[in-house]
Amino acid sequence: MSDLLVGRQPIFNRNKEVIGYELLYRSSQNESSVNVSNGDYATTQVLLNTFSEIGLDNIVGSGFAFINFTRNFLVGKYPIHLPPERIVVEVLEDITLDKQLLDSLQGLKISGFQIALDDVITIDRVIPALRCGLVNVIKVDLMGMKRVLLPDMVNTLKQHGMLLLAEKVETLEDYDLCYRLGFDFFQGYYLCKPNIVKGRRMDSSRLVVMRLLAQVTDPKADFKNLETLISQDVGLTYKLLKLVNSGYYSLSTTVNSIRQAISLIGLSQLRGWMMLILMSTVDDKPHELTSIALQRAKMCEMIGKALGESQAESYFLTGLFSVLDAIMDLPMHEVVSSIHLADDVVAALIKHEGKIGCSLKTVLAIEQGEWEKVLECGIQPERLRSIYFDSIKWANILTNEVYESNLPN
């Protein structure tokens, strides 16, 4: 399954801005005819899919691509013909840092690549590289690291000028600890999952967002009510009209009113845009959440159509709303209780049940590189590959439109 897709996980800086993505791979189970190890073949497929199928910019934008390389790639058995200014070469934890490997890393660094040591849990793992001054980034594996040892490790690495990346950041406590210790970058599910604090009340801005979302997603909300609702907020009106008049639609006429916008793009698309605008107004959450929401929405929709669903709006809505728990800092069951949603969408969001839930499970498995689970949806790998690439391209275009709409003229 490694030759099907390129999974990606965002990497954030201390301002919760995305600076790049780790491109994930897994070995296939049917590679007996391939005359290289599974890891080598998987890395090759990731590189081919990234650079020949969809393009580096479409996957990582203007950021860095963190790519795991096997020893055979690192020592030059297989070439690394990649733009060095965009690539962070990750050295896996099971690769011995012997003289041959260190000499090869020296050559890569001279060529302009940045080097990262992956899954570090002890300072001993880092010492050979520190002596040579070859490594730029140390990725500390929080799941395998004893918390009591973190301060000393951080101090030692910082003294050598290392950039520190905390990976497998699963909880708010982990994030706060690593932030206080001075980590530069963060990677893990916490940054894309809710910060759930028991007994916490939703603040007023989130409450407004939830109420507006409830109205724009209510199937009983009619044309006139939505126009009235949107028109009451000058900011929402401005953002929506700017989006409708953007290059995404390339309309031959300028849209000057909400009524005209609804007439031209339709009620369904209007609801979609309004949901995105409202979600993007929560300022203390990384913009990556909007990008993830868009990609999931498009993938769920396309998977629904591939499974024979003629009306895939519920699939799209499920993917879009799958990050609402992270945006609202509430458990998903509390989020959906505040919004009027169909029962099958609720079941999909909370328990991943039903056909829609199956599509969402497939999307989540793709994001996490769990290729065996991806195949359970019953769609041919070639079709899934196309869906995945198309959803990334589509999400990148719309994410730019959403955030450009938040800027003044």
Side-chain angles (χ1 to χ4, degrees):
M1 194 61 187
S2 60
D3 59 339
L4 171 61
L5 301 169
V6 178
R8 63 176 193 170
Q9 187 173 33
I11 295 171
F12 298 85
N13 63 16
R14 291 175 65 85
N15 296 322
K16 291 189 178 179
E17 299 166 336
V18 176
I19 57 95
Y21 296 84
E22 180 175 357
L23 305 187
L24 306 172
Y25 68 88
R26 296 292 186 274
S27 298
S28 173
Q29 297 180 351
N30 299 307
E31 297 174 3
S32 56
S33 62
V34 181
N35 193 28
V36 292
S37 70
N38 286 350
D40 293 334
Y41 179 70
T43 299
T44 300
Q45 293 303 317
V46 168
L47 297 178
L48 288 174
N49 284 335
T50 298
F51 289 91
S52 65
E53 290 281 354
I54 188 170
L56 182 64
D57 288 345
N58 289 324
I59 290 184
V60 303
S62 59
F64 292 97
F66 288 67
I67 301 177
N68 294 321
F69 288 94
T70 62
R71 184 182 180 90
N72 283 332
F73 275 93
L74 295 176
V75 300
K77 184 174 181 180
Y78 307 117
I80 304 178
H81 296 312
L82 303 173
E85 69 279 2
R86 303 291 306 283
I87 305 299
V88 178
V89 174
E90 291 201 22
V91 182
L92 295 171
E93 69 278 7
D94 59 354
I95 297 177
T96 303
L97 299 180
D98 54 25
K99 185 177 186 304
Q100 181 189 24
L101 196 283
L102 293 173
D103 288 344
S104 297
L105 293 182
Q106 181 71 50
L108 290 172
K109 189 166 185 178
I110 291 173
S111 298
F113 291 96
Q114 296 194 58
I115 311 296
L117 291 187
D118 194 23
D119 289 330
V120 171
I121 58 174
T122 67
I123 196 68
D124 293 340
R125 164 68 175 162
V126 184
I127 289 176
L130 291 181
R131 290 171 179 165
C132 301
L134 295 176
V135 176
N136 305 96
V137 181
I138 304 296
K139 299 186 69 175
V140 178
D141 180 359
L142 294 184
M143 296 292 285
M145 180 78 191
K146 293 182 179 179
R147 300 297 189 274
V148 69
L149 301 178
L150 264 179
D152 287 342
M153 174 182 279
V154 170
N155 288 335
T156 301
L157 296 175
K158 283 292 186 180
Q159 289 174 9
H160 286 82
M162 296 292 99
L163 293 172
L164 301 184
L165 190 159
E167 60 179 343
K168 301 176 185 174
V169 180
E170 305 292 308
T171 67
L172 172 63
E173 290 75 20
D174 283 342
Y175 177 80
D176 285 345
L177 173 62
C178 292
Y179 190 92
R180 290 196 308 271
L181 290 175
F183 275 78
D184 302 281
F185 308 113
F186 308 86
Q187 177 181 2
Y189 293 144
Y190 161 71
L191 290 150
C192 292
K193 281 189 176 282
N195 164 21
I196 301 172
V197 181
K198 188 174 182 180
R200 175 178 176 175
R201 291 190 305 169
M202 193 186 306
D203 62 43
S204 59
S205 63
R206 282 176 170 76
L207 188 59
V208 170
V209 170
M210 290 298 294
R211 286 172 176 169
L212 288 171
L213 282 172
Q215 294 189 52
V216 298
T217 57
D218 187 346
K220 297 180 180 179
D222 60 23
F223 185 106
K224 185 176 180 180
N225 288 340
L226 282 178
E227 180 188 6
T228 301
L229 167 68
I230 298 166
S231 299
Q232 290 174 351
D233 190 306
V234 175
L236 289 180
T237 301
Y238 165 78
K239 292 173 183 178
L240 180 63
L241 292 180
K242 188 165 185 178
L243 282 168
V244 174
N245 285 305
S246 71
Y248 180 75
Y249 284 103
S250 299
L251 298 174
S252 58
T253 183
T254 300
V255 178
N256 296 310
S257 69
I258 297 300
R259 180 175 295 273
Q260 188 181 9
I262 298 175
S263 299
L264 287 172
I265 69 174
L267 202 56
S268 178
Q269 287 201 37
L270 174 73
R271 287 193 175 105
W273 279 122
M274 287 305 303
M275 286 186 284
L276 288 174
I277 292 172
L278 292 168
M279 288 163 64
S280 71
T281 58
V282 182
D283 294 330
D284 66 338
K285 293 296 178 178
H287 291 176
E288 179 65 14
L289 282 175
T290 302
S291 179
I292 291 171
L294 281 166
Q295 186 183 341
R296 287 181 181 177
K298 193 62 174 178
M299 285 195 69
C300 285
E301 178 188 54
M302 296 177 75
I303 288 173
K305 290 180 178 178
L307 294 173
E309 295 289 335
S310 58
Q311 301 293 326
E313 290 87 354
S314 294
Y315 287 75
F316 183 92
L317 187 66
T318 299
L320 192 67
F321 276 8
S322 65
V323 301
L324 274 184
D325 52 353
I327 289 176
M328 299 303 167
D329 284 340
L330 286 172
M332 184 61 79
H333 70 272
E334 291 188 26
V335 174
V336 299
S337 68
S338 303
I339 308 176
H340 186 94
L341 295 173
D343 291 341
D344 54 353
V345 173
V346 172
L349 287 169
I350 296 178
K351 299 181 179 180
H352 298 170
E353 292 180 345
K355 291 183 178 179
I356 304 175
C358 182
S359 72
L360 181 58
K361 280 196 298 186
T362 300
V363 171
L364 298 177
I366 289 172
E367 290 180 359
Q368 298 169 20
E370 298 175 347
W371 308 132
E372 294 80 7
K373 293 183 180 180
V374 172
L375 288 175
E376 294 176 2
C377 72
I379 299 176
Q380 291 297 315
E382 294 78 10
R383 178 61 179 138
L384 275 176
R385 187 211 309 256
S386 176
I387 288 172
Y388 179 70
F389 290 161
D390 288 346
S391 69
I392 289 179
K393 293 178 183 177
W394 185 85
N396 285 339
I397 293 172
L398 265 69
T399 300
N400 290 335
E401 298 287 3
V402 167
Y403 284 104
E404 284 178 4
S405 74
N406 290 335
L407 299 174
N409 286 327

